[in-house]
Amino acid sequence: MVLSEAVLADPVELTRALCDIPSVSRDEAAICDAVEAALKRLGHLTVERVGNTLVARTDLGRDRRVMLAGHLDTVPVNGNFPTRTEGDVMWGLGTSDMKSGTALALWIAATVERPRFDLSFAFYDCEEIEAVHNGLNKLSQSRPELLAADFAILLEPTYGLVEAGCQGTMRVRVTTRGKRAHSARSWKGENAIHRLGPVLERLNSYEAREVEVDGCVYREGLNAVFIGGGVAGNVIPDEGWVDVNYRFAPDRDEAAAEAHVREVFAGFEVEVSDTAPSCRPGLDRPEAAEFVAAAGGEFRAKLGWTDVARFATLGIPAVNFGPGDPNLAHKQDERVEIPRIRDCAAALRAYVEAS
Ligand SMILES: [Zn+2]
């Protein structure tokens, strides 16, 4: 599959072309080959490939560098491949999540030879499966210098709104202990499940913070997501546990989030089982503020977790911005509105070209 010059010159055609190359996670070699060949043909970019992840960069000696990033993979096909277009709507796998966004990064790479910032582009594999396979995650560990930038735009679907930063997420297990006994002589035991009562009370009465960071309001949450315990129908249980998920605003890093959870459950055994960092919106940075302005001036906090946090771990503020509707991601009737692709393309272009 060759991405012709005409296709590279049009963000809508490019979206269609990328969507029509199958690239379910772990099967990205063909699309990566096509994008790599297109980038190398351009001549004004240095291109590095690591596995099925590509990083392309301008090297114009500008004082600032902005990263545009998008994943190449999709979730499995569900009777929605290849694309079809009806009027102003392109239907098909990847149209929203996120080849319409990835296409914009590639289109900027292909058509803006002398941007006002140095630009880096990352096209990566395996975003839709476990984090250990995620191309951006792997690169942030093995070759962080390739991702260096002052600001990053991840072109995930946001329906054309700037969604800044992202909340972090942490899962902890709160465990209670007791003493087993026959339930016919329960006074000889200590019921660990009953001891979960105060844990649930603390969750019930917990008042989640609303935190403003750089003008974005993040609403936190601390919630039980699993509960367990028990030995048999006639045994007083000696162990009970609640798994709690904490979604935390980007004014807290993982250490601060853990300290907070330990404080909430003071007196109980708390073990962190899983954690992913938050990402500051960074809208106080000029390159970010200028991007918000170019995208129409509106922005909101990203409440979910996205790969922008990979940039955060490298100290790079990042926003999400893409033409797709996030509510259509992973759905059989995934689609993208063509005018929205054009609007987002115009905003990005104005941003990287403005004098
Ligand atoms: Zn995505």
Side-chain angles (χ1 to χ4, degrees), residues 274-341:
D274 190 27
T275 171
S278 60
C279 174
R280 291 187 74 89
L283 297 179
D284 52 336
R285 300 238 190 148
E287 44 279 274
E290 288 163 23
F291 177 64
V292 171
E298 279 186 56
F299 60 89
R300 66 178 174 215
K302 183 76 180 178
L303 299 182
W305 193 88
T306 77
D307 267 342
V308 293
R310 313 262 178 229
F311 292 107
T313 58
L314 301 172
I316 305 166
V319 299
N320 304 273
F321 175 77
D325 178 346
N327 299 312
L328 296 171
H330 304 185
K331 292 184 71 175
Q332 203 273 335
D333 60 349
E334 188 174 342
R335 59 194 179 269
V336 66
E337 295 164 23
I338 287 169
R340 211 158 277 269
I341 298 177

Side-chain angles (χ1 to χ4, degrees), residues 135-212:
L136 193 66
N137 185 27
K138 289 201 284 193
L139 211 57
S140 73
Q141 288 160 13
S142 65
R143 304 282 308 278
E145 73 282 1
L146 287 180
L147 300 177
D150 298 292
F151 175 57
I153 302 170
L154 182 64
L155 291 131
E156 285 278 12
T158 65
Y159 207 48
L161 252 176
V162 178
E163 294 192 331
C166 78
Q167 299 212 111
T169 176
M170 174 169 289
R171 231 176 38 237
V172 304
R173 175 161 289 193
V174 184
T175 303
T176 53
R177 307 284 174 190
K179 207 167 107 192
R180 284 193 202 185
H182 197 298
S183 59
R185 288 175 294 277
S186 57
W187 57 89
K188 294 203 176 269
E190 288 165 20
N191 194 314
I193 290 180
H194 293 185
R195 288 181 175 169
L196 288 176
V199 175
L200 299 180
E201 253 155 52
R202 285 185 204 183
L203 285 166
N204 245 331
S205 59
Y206 182 79
E207 282 184 33
R209 296 189 311 155
E210 277 190 23
V211 186
E212 192 178 319

Side-chain angles (χ1 to χ4, degrees), residues 71 73 96-98 127-128 156-157 329-330:
H71 61 81
D73 59 322
S96 168
D97 183 12
M98 62 170 286
E127 190 272 348
E128 299 288 6
E156 285 278 12
H330 304 185

Side-chain angles (χ1 to χ4, degrees), residues 75-81 93 330-333:
V75 295
V77 180
N78 183 15
N80 53 5
F81 180 92
L93 181 63
H330 304 185
K331 292 184 71 175
Q332 203 273 335
D333 60 349

Side-chain angles (χ1 to χ4, degrees), residues 2 8 22 25 80 86 92 119 155 157 185 187 191-192 229 257 259 272 294 320 329 333 335 343 345 353 355:
V2 175
L8 286 169
S25 308
N80 53 5
E86 277 168 33
L119 293 178
L155 291 131
R185 288 175 294 277
W187 57 89
N191 194 314
V272 176
N320 304 273
D333 60 349
R335 59 194 179 269
D343 289 349
E353 274 194 334
S355 55

Side-chain angles (χ1 to χ4, degrees), residues 2-218:
V2 175
L3 298 168
S4 70
E5 216 166 295
V7 164
L8 286 169
D10 183 314
V12 176
E13 289 310 314
L14 193 47
T15 298
R16 194 186 336 266
L18 292 180
C19 288
D20 288 344
I21 304 173
S23 63
V24 175
S25 308
R26 294 176 182 281
D27 190 18
E28 297 95 336
I31 194 169
C32 194
D33 289 348
V35 173
E36 182 183 23
L39 291 168
K40 284 190 166 159
R41 250 187 1 253
L42 293 169
H44 65 280
L45 299 165
T46 55
V47 181
E48 279 214 51
R49 178 167 179 166
V50 180
N52 286 327
T53 292
L54 294 161
V55 175
R57 286 180 296 177
T58 65
D59 208 350
L60 298 162
R62 305 283 196 248
D63 57 351
R64 291 182 288 174
R65 176 173 291 279
V66 171
M67 162 72 75
L68 303 180
H71 61 81
L72 294 168
D73 59 322
T74 67
V75 295
V77 180
N78 183 15
N80 53 5
F81 180 92
T83 56
R84 67 189 164 85
T85 301
E86 277 168 33
D88 266 349
V89 179
M90 191 189 303
W91 299 72
L93 181 63
T95 49
S96 168
D97 183 12
M98 62 170 286
K99 288 180 175 175
S100 55
T102 302
L104 291 186
L106 186 52
W107 173 73
I108 293 285
T111 58
V112 183
E113 267 189 51
R114 300 198 60 79
R116 69 189 176 113
F117 315 109
D118 268 309
L119 293 178
S120 297
F121 304 91
F123 303 98
Y124 60 101
D125 62 340
C126 292
E127 190 272 348
E128 299 288 6
I129 56 175
E130 305 79 50
V132 288
H133 304 294
N134 182 305
L136 193 66
N137 185 27
K138 289 201 284 193
L139 211 57
S140 73
Q141 288 160 13
S142 65
R143 304 282 308 278
E145 73 282 1
L146 287 180
L147 300 177
D150 298 292
F151 175 57
I153 302 170
L154 182 64
L155 291 131
E156 285 278 12
T158 65
Y159 207 48
L161 252 176
V162 178
E163 294 192 331
C166 78
Q167 299 212 111
T169 176
M170 174 169 289
R171 231 176 38 237
V172 304
R173 175 161 289 193
V174 184
T175 303
T176 53
R177 307 284 174 190
K179 207 167 107 192
R180 284 193 202 185
H182 197 298
S183 59
R185 288 175 294 277
S186 57
W187 57 89
K188 294 203 176 269
E190 288 165 20
N191 194 314
I193 290 180
H194 293 185
R195 288 181 175 169
L196 288 176
V199 175
L200 299 180
E201 253 155 52
R202 285 185 204 183
L203 285 166
N204 245 331
S205 59
Y206 182 79
E207 282 184 33
R209 296 189 311 155
E210 277 190 23
V211 186
E212 192 178 319
V213 184
D214 300 347
C216 291
V217 177
Y218 294 87

